[in-house]
Amino acid sequence: MKTNSFAHTLARRPLSTLALTVVSALSALSFAPAAKAQTEIQWWHSMTAVNNEWVNDLAKQFNESQKEYKITPVFKGTYDESMTAAIAAFRAGNAPHILQVFEVGTATMMASKGAVVPVGKVMADAGFKFDPSAYVPAVAGYYTAPNGQMLSFPFNSSTTIFYYNKDAFKAAGLNPDKAPTTWPEVVAAATKLKDSGHKCAFTPAWQGWTQLESFSAWHNVEFATQQNGLGGLDARMKINSPLHVRHIETLAKMAKDGSMAYKGRGNKAEASFVSGECAMITTSSGFYGNVSKNAKFAYGLSTLPYYPDVQGAPQNTVIGGASLWVMSGKKAEEYKGVATFFNFISTPEVQSASHKRTGYLPVTTAAYKLTEASGFYKQNPGTDVAVTQMIRKVTDKSRGIRLGNYVQIRTIEDEELEQVWAGTKTPKDALDSIVARGNELLERFEKANK
């Protein structure tokens, strides 16, 4: 058999010193233990603009703090869209490790048996101390099961507050250092702003949450039976009371006379405040990061308005924002990574920095105390409003709202209120319709989860 002369010659030639070094190095390399690959943790979220930057920075901070795990944040659209995407991904066997779910999806997630792992279990299994009593009670209670186990990790918890444009107030002859604290004062301020030429005096964002849900708790009136759903699946809606009708009638009059402008569902109205178009807005405390970064005018933060003749008002506002749920079907090492990340973002230092940056609540008492001690609230008046509204003693009517099929109920609220603002439906008819249509969905949820 004829051999390849080049290969044959090479085989017979003694190895040079350089070649020996190379062969020796390659041999050593082949027997060296491989570097341990980082465990990647997928985190699906719905944060946009400045809050999206915050989420990315948190992940970067964590990733740089250790070498074992890598958090990868992925924006998956609105809260509704990310929930739908996660359900589809779970069925296909490729759900993320962490899913951010807004508070109205809590009852649905709690009922999703087999799809989620309680955060209390994830933390305990990883060997981390996880004490629900360290969290602000109104926050911890909302995400805790009747057996005392915390089901999801409180993340961007918010509440409804009132923002106003101080420059616009000054131009309209209003006191820029005094926010309207009652609804009659809001109406009077809106009239003055409109008369001074301001095209949009007041606008509500997240209208179902701010004008019905938070409104109910703030006035210590029932939104739904069974402690607003926290007491059982057989809860039914009660937002067609005389007080609710009175409030929507107030807003309907403002919409008719042009002192209130409806700018769309969800947080769409927020852009009109930042731009200076609208002078007053009720929305999330988590809007603060956007306002502080982008508003080109002096602004103020204040409490949610109330009706002073209602006994028990103001009470406390309810939780908004979202929490982080851990999806099932992952490896033990991946769950350890999730727990390590949660432990990192719950430290007082990280919590306080996030609170100062975004306006979301410091979800632990230690983080609140750290922020207070830093002088942040004194230097930035109004930034403590969200906290002080939430840490009051709660009642069975104000503890929170946790209803099944609530994402769909929110859509019903939007549909019916939009007809009121357009003048095609009376406030009473719209609220009666929300109750009737909402109760159908609640009955369906109760039957499916008995």
Side-chain angles (χ1 to χ4, degrees):
M1 185 177 85
K2 192 176 179 184
T3 58
N4 180 301
S5 58
F6 177 75
H8 184 67
T9 307
L10 189 66
R12 293 183 62 191
R13 185 177 293 172
L15 286 170
S16 69
T17 308
L18 178 64
L20 278 167
T21 306
V22 171
V23 169
S24 167
L26 286 171
S27 301
L29 206 61
S30 62
F31 291 107
K36 190 184 174 189
Q38 277 187 313
T39 301
E40 187 179 358
I41 311 295
Q42 287 268 324
W43 174 17
W44 287 9
H45 69 89
S46 300
M47 299 278 89
T48 58
V50 293
N51 288 334
N52 180 48
E53 292 167 16
W54 165 56
V55 161
N56 289 334
D57 286 347
L58 276 180
K60 186 169 179 276
Q61 251 185 293
F62 172 73
N63 293 341
E64 288 173 354
S65 74
Q66 46 72 55
K67 299 281 182 240
E68 284 184 78
Y69 310 104
K70 183 188 176 187
I71 291 284
T72 304
V74 182
F75 174 72
K76 293 299 282 188
T78 64
Y79 284 130
D80 305 53
E81 289 165 349
S82 62
M83 255 186 99
T84 305
I87 290 164
F90 176 74
R91 286 174 182 156
N94 57 2
H97 300 83
I98 304 168
L99 175 66
Q100 184 192 27
V101 179
F102 60 162
E103 90 286 5
V104 297
T106 301
T108 302
M109 294 301 288
M110 285 175 76
S112 303
K113 292 175 178 68
V116 297
V117 184
V119 71
K121 175 175 166 46
V122 173
M123 299 301 280
D125 289 352
F128 287 106
K129 188 185 174 192
F130 188 63
D131 181 11
S133 69
Y135 291 78
V136 173
V139 175
Y142 190 81
Y143 296 118
T144 300
N147 66 1
Q149 187 176 46
M150 201 180 276
L151 300 173
S152 62
F153 183 84
F155 178 56
N156 57 313
S157 296
S158 64
T159 197
T160 318
I161 65 170
F162 183 87
Y163 298 80
Y164 69 105
N165 182 327
K166 289 188 172 187
D167 291 353
F169 266 50
K170 202 171 181 181
L174 292 159
N175 184 348
D177 298 318
K178 190 180 182 302
T181 55
T182 68
W183 280 108
E185 286 174 358
V186 171
V187 173
T191 302
K192 269 204 159 188
L193 286 157
K194 182 179 67 99
D195 291 347
S196 72
H198 214 90
K199 286 188 176 135
C200 171
F202 169 73
T203 187
W206 299 105
Q207 58 181 350
W209 178 45
T210 62
Q211 306 310 318
L212 295 173
E213 299 161 32
S214 292
F215 175 86
S216 300
W218 197 226
H219 287 83
N220 201 29
V221 296
E222 277 185 311
F223 182 87
T225 60
Q226 285 289 16
Q227 296 175 41
N228 297 328
L230 272 74
L233 293 177
D234 55 340
R236 298 296 180 261
M237 298 184 75
K238 291 191 73 176
I239 54 166
N240 53 354
S241 76
L243 179 62
H244 290 98
V245 172
R246 171 189 173 186
H247 180 53
I248 301 306
E249 279 175 349
T250 298
L251 298 182
K253 282 175 192 165
M254 291 176 72
K256 192 175 180 182
D257 70 23
S259 57
M260 179 185 110
Y262 174 64
K263 294 291 183 179
R265 299 182 184 186
N267 69 343
K268 281 183 182 167
E270 291 178 351
S272 64
F273 180 80
V274 172
S275 70
E277 180 193 350
C278 295
M280 301 182 289
I281 186 171
T282 45
T283 190
S284 168
S285 58
F287 178 44
Y288 172 73
N290 189 350
V291 176
S292 64
K293 184 178 180 180
N294 299 314
K296 301 291 188 284
F297 50 84
Y299 58 86
L301 285 66
S302 188
T303 52
L304 197 63
Y306 66 100
Y307 289 96
D309 59 335
V310 175
Q311 196 174 354
Q315 174 56 42
N316 63 278
T317 50
V318 290
I319 196 170
S323 64
L324 303 179
W325 291 79
V326 184
M327 305 301 284
S328 64
K330 305 297 180 184
K331 295 174 184 168
E333 181 59 19
E334 293 168 341
Y335 284 131
K336 193 167 182 191
V338 170
T340 306
F341 176 58
F342 285 173
N343 189 60
F344 173 81
I345 60 174
S346 62
T347 60
E349 294 76 18
V350 174
Q351 274 288 321
S352 177
S354 292
H355 166 53
K356 290 175 182 178
R357 176 174 177 171
T358 64
Y360 286 116
L361 295 163
V363 296
T364 63
T365 309
Y368 170 60
K369 286 178 178 171
L370 183 65
T371 309
E372 191 174 37
S374 75
F376 178 76
Y377 298 133
K378 282 183 180 173
Q379 292 155 19
N380 301 273
T383 50
D384 61 339
V385 165
V387 188
T388 55
Q389 280 188 171
M390 285 286 287
I391 60 174
R392 298 162 188 244
K393 191 177 177 184
V394 297
T395 72
D396 284 344
K397 296 172 186 172
S398 71
R399 202 175 305 280
I401 297 163
R402 193 164 67 204
L403 301 172
N405 286 330
Y406 203 40
V407 178
Q408 297 93 315
I409 291 171
R410 273 263 180 96
T411 302
I412 290 169
E413 290 171 357
D414 282 332
E415 288 170 357
E416 295 293 341
L417 289 175
E418 280 165 357
Q419 292 185 68
V420 175
W421 314 146
T424 57
K425 209 163 196 178
T426 68
K428 177 76 167 70
D429 287 346
L431 293 173
D432 284 345
S433 187
I434 292 170
V435 168
R437 294 173 66 192
N439 284 345
E440 280 179 31
L441 288 172
L442 290 173
E443 285 168 35
R444 206 178 301 163
F445 187 81
E446 183 189 3
K447 282 175 188 170
N449 291 285
K450 265 191 170 174

